Every structure is written in structure tokens, then in C-alpha cells.
């Protein structure tokens, strides 16, 4: 990014100082040739600057993607997109783990099953009959 700014400032200074000399009313063949050479050099400076800026945007995008992927508890996309098009795999796997944890560690279900599946020597005959019926 700094290279792009430096090349842009250098190109602007060169272009602004030489534009009156090159594109003046009395253009001789020498100044036309100088103008073509100048435009040719500026073309390659702009290509290098464009490549450097695209590389900088790619690096900035990759870093911001890595930072945003750390947050798995927040969805990066709107809810309606996740509902119809499941793209964000980290968020969906986080939701699956939360639902699985809730399913197996729900306090009401755990206490009910611990009472229901108590050892058979502590159960009365009526509760044994109900437990055997549910199996």
C-alpha cells in the first residue's frame, strides 16, 4: 500500500511538471516522442501500482477473514441467508454442538432419567412395572 502511494505521488509530480512542456501548443517531433515515452513509462508504473494494490487488498481481506472466523458464536451473514443457504460452516457447527450439549445435559431430562433408571433394588414393584413397560 505504501508503494502504491509513493508511485502515485511520483507519477503525479512528474505528470504535472512535464505536462505543460510536453503537451504545449508548439509540439515538435521530439516532444511528441518524449510524450509517448513518458506515457509508456507511466503505463508500467500504473501496472505495478495496480498489482501492488490488489495484493494489498488480498492480504487485508485474508486477515479480516481470519479475524472474523474467530467469532463462531456470531453469524457473519444475515439469518435468512443461513436459513436457506448454509454457507457459514463454523457457525453451523457451533450451533450443532450447542444443540447436542443441550439435548444430553438438559437438567429436566437428566433428573427425570436418573429417577426413571434408578437401580432396581430401590424401586417399588409398581415403579418396576412402569419402567419395564417403557423399555
Amino acid at each position: 500500500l505504501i508503494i502504491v502511494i509513493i508511485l502515485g505521488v511520483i507519477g503525479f509530480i512528474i505528470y504535472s511538471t512535464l505536462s505543460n512542456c510536453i503537451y504545449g501548443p508548439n509540439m515538435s517531433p521530439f516532444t511528441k516522442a518524449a510524450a509517448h515515452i513518458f506515457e509508456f513509462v507511466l503505463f508500467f508504473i500504473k501496472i505495478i501500482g495496480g498489482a501492488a494494490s490488489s495484493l494489498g487488498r488480498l492480504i487485508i481481506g485474508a486477515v479480516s477473514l481470519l479475524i472474523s472466523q474467530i467469532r463462531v458464536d456470531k453469524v457473519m451473514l444475515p439469518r435468512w441467508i443461513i436459513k436457506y443457504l448454509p454457507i457459514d460452516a463454523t457457525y453451523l457447527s457451533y450451533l450443532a454442538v450447542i444443540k447436542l450439549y443441550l439435548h444430553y445435559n438438559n437438567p429436566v431430562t437428566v433428573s427425570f432419567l436418573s429417577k426413571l433408571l434408578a437401580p432396581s433394588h430401590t424401586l417399588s414393584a409398581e415403579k418396576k412395572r412402569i419402567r419395564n413397560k417403557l423399555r
Side-chain angles (χ1 to χ4, degrees), residues 51-66:
S53 68
S54 66
L55 183 65
R57 282 193 303 260
L58 181 70
I59 291 171
I60 289 171
V63 168
S64 64
L65 179 67
L66 287 175

Side-chain angles (χ1 to χ4, degrees), residues 37-112:
I37 292 171
F38 178 67
E39 292 292 332
F40 184 74
V41 169
L42 275 184
F43 172 74
F44 285 105
I45 288 176
K46 289 177 185 177
I47 294 257
I48 293 169
S53 68
S54 66
L55 183 65
R57 282 193 303 260
L58 181 70
I59 291 171
I60 289 171
V63 168
S64 64
L65 179 67
L66 287 175
I67 290 171
S68 66
Q69 284 295 322
I70 292 172
R71 294 292 308 264
V72 295
D73 59 333
K74 299 285 184 186
V75 65
M76 293 188 329
L77 301 170
R79 295 274 184 192
W80 62 272
I81 291 179
I82 294 295
K83 184 178 179 182
Y84 296 114
L85 189 62
I87 296 174
D88 196 1
T90 55
Y91 178 70
L92 293 177
S93 63
Y94 174 75
L95 283 182
V97 167
I98 293 296
K99 288 179 182 178
L100 189 70
Y101 181 80
L102 178 67
H103 179 72
Y104 285 109
N105 294 321
N106 190 349
V108 175
T109 306
V110 168
S111 63
F112 173 73

